Amino acid sequence: AQQIQGLCSYFFGARHSGTAVELNRCIYNAMNDGPYGKKRGTKNEMACRDGKKTCEDCRDTKIELVKSVHFTLCQKPWTCPVALTDKLPLCKEFHKKWFQIRKSWDGER
């Protein structure tokens, strides 16, 4: 399989229940999304996506702090979504870093 989506939730949910810790969504699995989402069970009420009382805006996260990226919102770098990255500066940084890492791996062959 080319992805690991669900692997961590299975590992910590089924195999090692009670040992998981919640990581900062702006640092780990960063998506460059806004801090608010529709509150569950309501029609229009908004709440912090992480369930906290105050919201951290992941779009303001410095690229140097990000450990892993989820490319759903920013789109996959190899599709070259230039129009999108012009509107979302952190996406542009995610893509730039992805290409830097890819180039360094290609050079190791």
Side-chain angles (χ1 to χ4, degrees), residues 14-53:
R15 305 292 290 178
H16 298 276
S17 181
T19 62
V21 294
E22 184 175 346
L23 301 173
N24 182 316
R25 60 186 281 282
C26 298
I27 307 296
Y28 299 92
N29 205 35
M31 291 201 316
N32 190 37
D33 55 345
Y36 297 99
K38 193 174 104 177
K39 189 174 181 180
R40 289 184 180 158
T42 68
K43 290 193 178 207
N44 296 316
E45 191 176 342
M46 302 300 275
C48 295
R49 292 184 189 275
D50 58 10
K52 296 179 181 173
K53 289 186 180 198

Side-chain angles (χ1 to χ4, degrees), residues 60-106:
D60 296 332
T61 304
K62 297 199 180 321
I63 188 72
E64 297 83 19
L65 298 175
V66 175
K67 302 296 181 192
S68 64
V69 174
H70 186 125
F71 283 112
T72 296
L73 180 64
C74 293
Q75 301 299 303
K76 311 300 186 250
W78 53 90
T79 64
C80 302
V82 175
L84 175 69
T85 57
D86 284 344
K87 294 176 188 171
L88 301 168
L90 190 55
C91 285
K92 193 172 195 169
E93 292 297 313
F94 288 167
H95 290 175
K96 181 179 175 183
K97 189 69 173 175
W98 186 89
F99 280 110
Q100 287 173 346
I101 292 168
R102 175 63 194 262
K103 185 176 180 180
S104 74
W105 287 356
D106 285 345

